């Protein structure tokens, strides 16, 4: 599949203003003249944006002398659809870019974030990723039934506290999933989410720092929302699942994204204000944790560690007692299944 270039900011903005007005009309007609007046572009240009909406999965009826009306709205993360599900004033998601197909939302957002004009809270979401990035240089399977997005966090956060962001995100994603399903969701240290003991969500934070201060974080969240189990490739079939496969019911992805952002926003603000950060949700994390209280094997940058997972520290380190009785505090690594 060819990579879909991000349409320019301006053109996504015009498309979104047209969509906003059509959504406000709640299925009633909106004239081409009005859409042209709102956007300041010709009626032919309005028609082109309507065609773009149809390519994205909207159904728009067009009748001469009446205008346009929306008859079907797809579940995709476009700004007007997401913002309607976010609390007023929520900074995360106040700007949303969407690409039906992209290499990696993390890679593209990191590139776009080089411009200081891109505001804190910008979300880049994608239908499909052709080069989705996972932790430890792995690729991330990203078919069009999942939820793949990255959030730009441009807040003053000390580098020493940056690791808390992914832990906070794991709690936020878990809360968001639990708003749509009763099925249990566990956390595998540091930030993988599991359902039925299989991975349902991965989180990848990539940051840029200046000395001891974080300049920005690109926080990538991949949720296997409605991926049918049979769609996973053989190598993932036993270790990955989706919310659909684990709970038997599809989720509303735009709502899921909005709930993640709504939950994450106050946590990130607290961190930026020098507040409690992960310590504020550590008990919730512990009670959802799949790793603590078990004999585990952890692949760390320094090698394989085997032992008993005792606890997590407020800065996110995994505390392990090895079989020889040594107590280790592991800052990063991966718990092996
Ligand atoms: C992991 O290996 O557990 C992390 C996976 C992170 C995947 C998400 S999907 C959205 C964002 N864009 C990427 O390329 N990766 C992250």
């Amino acid at each position: 599949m060819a990579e879909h270039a991000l349409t320019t900011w301006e053109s996504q903005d015009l498309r979104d203003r047209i969509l906003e007005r059509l959504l406000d009309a709640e299925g009633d007609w909106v004239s081409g003249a009005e859409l042209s007046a709102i956007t300041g572009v010709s009626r032919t240009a309005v028609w082109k944006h309507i065609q773009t909406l149809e390519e994205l999965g909207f159904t728009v009826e067009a009748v001469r002398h009446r205008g346009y009306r929306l008859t079907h709205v797809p579940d995709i993360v476009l700004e007007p659809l997401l913002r309607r599900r976010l609390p007023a004033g929520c900074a995360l998601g106040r700007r949303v870019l969407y690409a039906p197909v992209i290499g990696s939302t993390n890679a593209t957002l990191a590139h776009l974030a080089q411009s200081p004009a891109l505001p804190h809270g910008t979300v880049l979401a994608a239908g499909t990723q052709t080069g989705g990035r996972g932790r430890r240089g792995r690729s991330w399977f990203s078919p069009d039934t999942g939820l793949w997005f990255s959030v730009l966090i441009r807040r003053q956060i000390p580098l020493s506290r940056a690791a808390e962001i992914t832990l906070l995100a794991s709690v936020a994603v878990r809360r968001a999933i639990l708003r749509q399903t009763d099925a249990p969701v566990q956390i595998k240290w540091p930030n993988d989410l599991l359902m039925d003991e299989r991975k349902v969500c991965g989180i990848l934070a990539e940051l840029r720092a200046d000395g001891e201060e974080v300049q920005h974080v690109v926080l990538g969240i991949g949720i296997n929302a409605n991926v049918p189990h049979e769609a996973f490739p053989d190598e993932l079939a036993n270790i990955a699942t989706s919310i659909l496969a684990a709970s038997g019911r599809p989720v509303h992805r735009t709502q899921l994204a909005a709930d993640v952002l709504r939950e994450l926003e106050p946590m990130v603000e607290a961190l930026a204000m020098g507040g409690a950060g992960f310590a504020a949700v550590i008990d919730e994390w512990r009670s959802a944790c799949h790793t603590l209280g078990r004999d585990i094997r952890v692949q760390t940058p320094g090698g394989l560690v085997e032992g008993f997972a005792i606890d997590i520290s407020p800065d996110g380190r995994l505390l392990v007692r090895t079989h020889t009785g040594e107590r280790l505090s592991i800052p990063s690594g991966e718990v092996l299944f």
Side-chain angles (χ1 to χ4, degrees):
M1 213 180 318
E3 167 110 2
H4 186 282
L6 274 176
T7 43
T8 64
W9 281 66
E10 202 183 338
S11 118
Q12 290 213 0
D13 195 50
L14 292 177
R15 177 202 68 200
D16 287 350
R17 270 151 63 193
I18 290 170
L19 175 57
E20 194 78 63
R21 179 66 191 91
L22 291 171
L23 289 166
D24 281 345
E26 295 179 342
D28 276 349
W29 296 98
V30 182
S31 72
E34 182 182 340
L35 293 175
S36 162
I38 289 170
T39 50
V41 298
S42 70
R43 288 170 69 163
T44 312
V46 167
W47 167 240
K48 290 212 170 102
H49 287 295
I50 297 281
Q51 282 178 312
T52 310
L53 287 173
E54 291 200 310
E55 283 163 18
L56 290 173
F58 291 83
T59 312
V60 188
E61 238 183 281
V63 171
R64 194 180 276 275
H65 303 307
R66 294 192 87 172
Y68 303 99
R69 69 186 189 106
L70 270 181
T71 56
H72 172 73
V73 176
D75 180 17
I76 57 174
V77 184
L78 293 191
E79 187 170 301
L81 300 177
L82 186 72
R83 288 215 59 88
R84 273 158 208 261
R85 296 173 185 275
L86 281 174
C90 186
L92 302 186
R94 68 174 163 200
R95 188 80 185 85
V96 182
L97 304 171
Y98 177 81
V101 181
I102 204 167
S104 151
T105 58
N106 261 36
T108 303
L109 191 58
H111 176 73
L112 294 173
Q114 289 171 5
S115 158
L118 199 73
H120 167 64
T122 300
V123 166
L124 173 59
T128 303
Q129 296 184 114
T130 52
R133 289 185 187 171
R135 291 174 66 212
R136 306 166 72 79
R138 281 193 290 248
S139 62
W140 182 259
F141 176 62
S142 314
D144 65 0
T145 40
L147 173 62
W148 325 118
F149 67 102
S150 302
V151 193
L152 178 64
I153 296 174
R154 220 194 261 289
R155 304 290 277 131
Q156 283 193 326
I157 296 171
L159 192 53
S160 59
R161 301 201 62 188
E164 291 177 55
I165 293 176
T166 56
L167 297 160
L168 292 171
S170 68
V171 172
V173 173
R174 180 172 179 270
R175 288 184 189 169
I177 296 176
L178 290 175
R179 279 178 186 243
Q180 291 200 49
T181 174
D182 293 334
V185 184
Q186 291 183 299
I187 303 175
K188 183 165 80 91
W189 181 82
N191 50 48
D192 287 345
L193 292 178
L194 309 180
M195 293 179 82
D196 292 341
E197 308 228 325
R198 293 168 179 193
K199 186 153 162 172
V200 74
C201 167
I203 296 168
L204 177 68
E206 295 178 288
L207 62 83
R208 203 181 153 124
D210 188 4
E212 288 308 301
E213 192 77 14
V214 171
Q215 279 189 338
H216 68 243
V217 178
V218 171
L219 178 65
I221 298 178
I223 307 178
N224 301 332
N226 297 328
V227 179
H229 188 259
E230 55 278 14
F232 287 108
D234 288 349
E235 66 272 22
L236 296 181
N238 291 326
I239 55 172
T241 191
S242 65
I243 305 176
L244 170 67
S247 73
R249 296 181 58 173
V251 280
H252 193 284
R253 291 176 299 175
T254 314
Q255 187 63 53
L256 193 58
D259 287 336
V260 171
L261 298 171
R262 167 210 301 265
E263 294 291 350
L264 193 59
E265 163 110 347
M267 299 180 187
V268 168
E269 283 313 301
L271 196 59
M273 303 302 282
F278 180 55
V281 295
I282 195 167
D283 286 337
E284 184 176 343
W285 189 97
R286 281 191 185 110
S287 68
C289 186
H290 178 269
T291 311
L292 302 181
R294 288 174 187 249
D295 282 318
I296 53 157
R297 292 190 308 144
V298 194
Q299 188 66 58
T300 74
L304 189 68
V305 172
E306 292 188 51
F308 181 79
I310 309 169
D311 200 1
I312 187 165
S313 65
D315 62 355
R317 288 163 180 257
L318 185 64
L319 308 176
V320 173
R321 189 177 57 238
T322 67
H323 300 315
T324 57
E326 196 185 358
R327 285 170 76 98
L328 299 176
S329 163
I330 304 175
S332 69
E334 175 154 328
V335 177
L336 304 175
F337 274 101

